[in-house]
Amino acid sequence: MGLPPTQVWTRDQIAARILAGDTLFVLHGNLVRVPQSWLAAHPGGQLSILHFVGRDATDEVEAFHSDETLQRMRGFIIGRVEVDEDGWAPFVPPIANGWIRRIGKDGKMEWYNEATPVKAPEDKDTPAVFEGLLKKSTSEAADSGPTLSMLQTAPNKLSPKNEKLNSDAYKELHKRVVDAGLYKTRFITGYGPEFIRYSLLALLSAVCYRYGWLVPSALFLGLFWQQLTFFAHDLGHVGVTHNWAADRLISIFVADFLGGLSIGWWVNNHNVHHLVPNHPTHDPDIQHLPFFAISPVFLNSLWSSYYKREMTFDAFGKLFVSMQHKLFYVVLSLARFNLYANSYGYLANTAFEPRRFRGGRWWWWAEIACLGLFFVWFGALLRGCGTWRRALVYLLVSHIAASPVHVQIVLSHFSRSTDDLGPAESFFARQLRTTVDVICSPRIEFIHGGLHLQVTHHLFPRLPRHNLREASLIVKEFAKERGLEYAEFGFVEGNGEVRGVLKQVADQLKIVGMVADSEIREAMKS
């Protein structure tokens, strides 16, 4: 491959190209243009790229891509950019203001305004925090598109110099992790004991079912699913064989055939979560209305840029959110059913999309086939229970037994900041600010699948899970040097903190209701 173009692009030129519809981001001082054909084919989904239009995405790109992929990416470089000593001053991606590109009536791509920014309260002293929240747009179509002013960042307290130092620290940190050999998969000492555990749980479930012990069988099946989730997670991050096609094939067998869930949906969802963690408008992993609201901002019926719908805070939402701290474990115990809905909705929505991923659409057909086989074998298990009541018990016990993984996932984020500090915030600082570890003894960390070390996992998503503990020691040292918090708490303490956050939002909802009732009474008196 030849040398990349040497043209130097000015900020005005880049802004003009973005407003014209080009997908551009900065990588190591180079300007990368993503063609529409590749944007639609990106294995990590379009949103993973759209959230970084006009920004320096070097740290994020290197965290999520192999050296081979980074080398191929050089073919999309169209020149270099003007930068100062504090690095590239980012633009605000159009999607942050609710603007996306879509095919118009004439068959050509056009701008569409799907949502509009929520106005900050007028009584704020300074616009120190970039709001970044969106509401559903009231207009059906756009006459023009985003403007130059929309690409400009709002004033905030972040120091460009300090964020540049954070970014430099992350690059050095990443180099140390690579040099330590922590990207090498430990197939024998890492996955060996896990495969034995998977096999034992599956065998115990089968034996118990054979002898008619349905509840123990369902319990072991649920634990089998819970443990298998961690393996599917690694495969989705291309962290096992480090080959996309191989890991995707294995993950389809594990997630779709054995678990009944779409790995394609999970990867699409999870990558966005990693890149914009805890953002109320953009992170699908904290968008759980009507069941949960981890911030009062959700009481305003925000727009979800991932689900492409309004998260309406209606009467049903008010009822559940008012009791969310009490219903926390009940809702999470049935969370697997929501994963089914998201999985099948994703596959339905992508059924008629153009070719995606490498090698065409084989992945979609493979998922459909394996999901069909899942319903064959699991349906046979339920029919074999004898009566519909026993089948229902088997269904509920198996799904509830798999739910501890959902508790662990929400512990890592629900109690952390949901503020958006704008596109200037470094990848390193953003992940540390929005993520927390669960303190766990090495002897029982298999219960958490090793993913209790979420901070380090968020910084190095492709890192094999069994190497996270060693890597976390390096991360903690760097965080301390940079004056950044590396948050961690015990499992019991974490549960208390998360339920405390849920109760705070529920209490605020109660106060809002009391104020509204008082205003109504005053109006009636007058």
Side-chain angles (χ1 to χ4, degrees):
M1 185 178 293
L3 295 174
T6 57
Q7 176 183 351
V8 178
W9 292 77
T10 66
R11 291 184 61 79
D12 290 341
Q13 290 174 323
I14 294 172
R17 291 289 294 267
I18 291 174
L19 294 175
D22 277 354
T23 302
L24 308 172
F25 65 85
V26 177
L27 178 65
H28 286 299
N30 297 307
L31 186 64
V32 178
R33 178 183 179 273
V34 183
Q36 181 60 37
S37 59
W38 179 243
L39 184 64
H42 184 229
Q46 296 189 33
L47 288 176
S48 297
I49 299 176
L50 294 181
H51 282 301
F52 290 87
V53 170
R55 300 170 60 179
D56 187 334
T58 302
D59 295 340
E60 288 83 356
V61 168
E62 293 202 332
F64 279 82
H65 299 87
S66 65
D67 290 339
E68 177 188 359
T69 302
L70 291 172
Q71 185 62 29
R72 286 200 300 270
M73 204 176 293
R74 292 176 62 85
F76 294 146
I77 293 175
I78 60 174
R80 296 191 61 79
V81 299
E82 293 180 336
V83 296
D84 57 27
E85 60 181 6
D86 293 332
W88 172 255
F91 288 114
V92 177
I95 195 171
N97 282 302
W99 288 94
I100 61 170
R101 302 279 289 173
R102 70 175 188 180
I103 299 176
K105 295 180 180 179
D106 59 357
K108 298 180 180 180
M109 298 298 293
E110 65 178 14
W111 283 110
Y112 175 71
N113 188 211
E114 65 178 7
T116 56
V118 175
K119 293 183 178 180
E122 295 181 358
D123 59 350
K124 276 196 171 184
D125 296 329
T126 58
V129 176
F130 185 85
E131 290 296 323
L133 304 177
L134 299 177
K135 296 273 287 186
K136 182 179 180 180
S137 177
T138 56
S139 60
E140 292 297 325
D143 296 328
S144 54
T147 62
L148 181 60
S149 63
M150 294 179 184
L151 299 184
Q152 308 307 318
T153 58
N156 59 61
K157 293 181 179 179
L158 295 178
S159 163
K161 182 180 181 66
N162 190 57
E163 294 308 310
K164 175 66 164 56
L165 291 174
N166 284 337
S167 180
D168 291 342
Y170 175 76
K171 291 178 177 62
E172 174 60 25
L173 174 61
H174 200 172
K175 184 178 183 301
R176 284 190 60 181
V177 169
V178 172
D179 291 345
L182 297 180
Y183 272 98
K184 295 179 181 178
T185 303
R186 293 192 281 124
F187 289 104
I188 303 301
T189 59
Y191 284 111
E194 288 199 359
F195 289 154
I196 294 174
R197 191 179 307 119
Y198 304 154
S199 301
L200 180 60
L201 289 171
L203 179 62
L204 287 172
S205 178
V207 170
C208 288
Y209 189 88
R210 172 68 179 80
Y211 286 98
W213 304 330
L214 297 184
V215 171
S217 172
L219 176 63
F220 287 125
L221 177 60
L223 294 177
F224 169 73
W225 282 338
Q226 187 258 353
Q227 285 290 299
L228 210 59
T229 299
F230 304 125
F231 185 38
H233 171 276
D234 293 357
L235 292 162
H237 277 298
V238 197
V240 179
T241 70
H242 305 290
N243 175 277
W244 185 89
D247 277 4
R248 180 51 61 95
L249 275 172
I250 299 171
S251 64
I252 289 175
F253 173 79
V254 171
D256 295 70
F257 174 67
L258 296 179
L261 302 173
S262 165
I263 191 65
W265 160 76
W266 182 85
V267 169
N268 187 277
N269 174 290
H270 197 64
N271 282 340
V272 175
H273 158 69
H274 266 268
L275 292 167
V276 283
N278 268 27
H279 194 296
T281 287
H282 303 303
D283 181 3
D285 273 14
I286 65 168
Q287 296 173 347
H288 299 301
L289 280 179
F291 301 107
F292 294 134
I294 67 169
S295 169
V297 299
F298 284 106
L299 309 185
N300 297 316
S301 296
L302 299 178
W303 174 259
S304 168
S305 63
Y306 179 84
Y307 291 111
K308 303 300 180 186
R309 61 174 172 80
E310 181 182 68
M311 295 177 284
T312 306
F313 186 64
D314 53 17
F316 196 50
K318 291 179 181 178
L319 175 63
F320 269 90
V321 171
S322 68
M323 302 183 294
Q324 60 180 359
H325 52 297
K326 299 177 182 178
L327 298 175
F328 178 63
Y329 298 111
V330 175
V331 173
L332 290 183
S333 70
L334 302 174
R336 194 174 184 86
F337 293 103
N338 185 55
L339 301 187
Y340 291 142
N342 287 329
S343 292
Y344 310 149
Y346 171 80
L347 291 173
N349 290 334
T350 55
F352 302 104
E353 281 190 354
R355 161 183 164 161
R356 293 187 69 187
F357 308 148
R358 303 171 193 172
R361 289 184 52 80
W362 63 264
W363 64 272
W364 191 89
W365 290 107
E367 287 208 63
I368 294 298
C370 284
L371 285 174
L373 292 174
F374 166 79
F375 282 107
V376 169
W377 74 259
F378 188 61
L381 280 184
L382 296 180
R383 288 194 300 274
C385 291
T387 68
W388 71 266
R389 289 184 177 84
R390 297 174 70 185
L392 180 61
V393 170
Y394 195 94
L395 177 71
L396 291 176
V397 171
S398 61
H399 283 59
I400 292 172
S403 66
V405 67
H406 306 303
V407 176
Q408 175 193 319
I409 290 171
V410 302
L411 289 188
S412 300
H413 298 284
F414 270 26
S415 64
R416 300 297 284 167
S417 170
T418 57
D419 290 337
D420 178 6
L421 302 187
E425 185 178 24
S426 66
F427 174 70
F428 192 21
R430 183 168 61 253
Q431 302 302 330
L432 291 175
R433 179 174 60 83
T434 57
T435 313
V436 59
D437 280 357
V438 176
I439 300 172
C440 174
S441 167
R443 292 175 296 179
I444 61 170
E445 64 183 11
F446 73 90
I447 297 175
H448 298 281
L451 289 179
H452 56 293
L453 299 170
Q454 276 288 302
V455 177
T456 301
H457 168 61
H458 264 250
L459 291 171
F460 309 107
R462 293 184 299 111
L463 202 67
R465 186 164 33 91
H466 308 101
N467 297 334
L468 287 176
R469 178 172 289 280
E470 186 175 348
S472 69
L473 300 178
I474 304 175
V475 175
K476 288 179 181 180
E477 178 184 336
F478 264 75
K480 185 177 181 180
E481 291 176 2
R482 294 295 308 140
L484 298 169
E485 177 192 17
Y486 188 109
E488 55 186 356
F489 49 36
F491 184 76
V492 175
E493 178 189 358
N495 275 263
E497 286 202 20
V498 169
R499 292 185 68 244
V501 168
L502 296 176
K503 187 177 186 304
Q504 287 175 9
V505 177
D507 289 343
Q508 186 150 344
L509 173 61
K510 183 178 179 180
I511 293 172
V512 170
M514 292 171 61
V515 171
D517 290 342
S518 176
E519 291 177 349
I520 292 174
R521 286 194 296 268
E522 289 296 325
M524 292 178 65
K525 289 179 181 179
S526 60

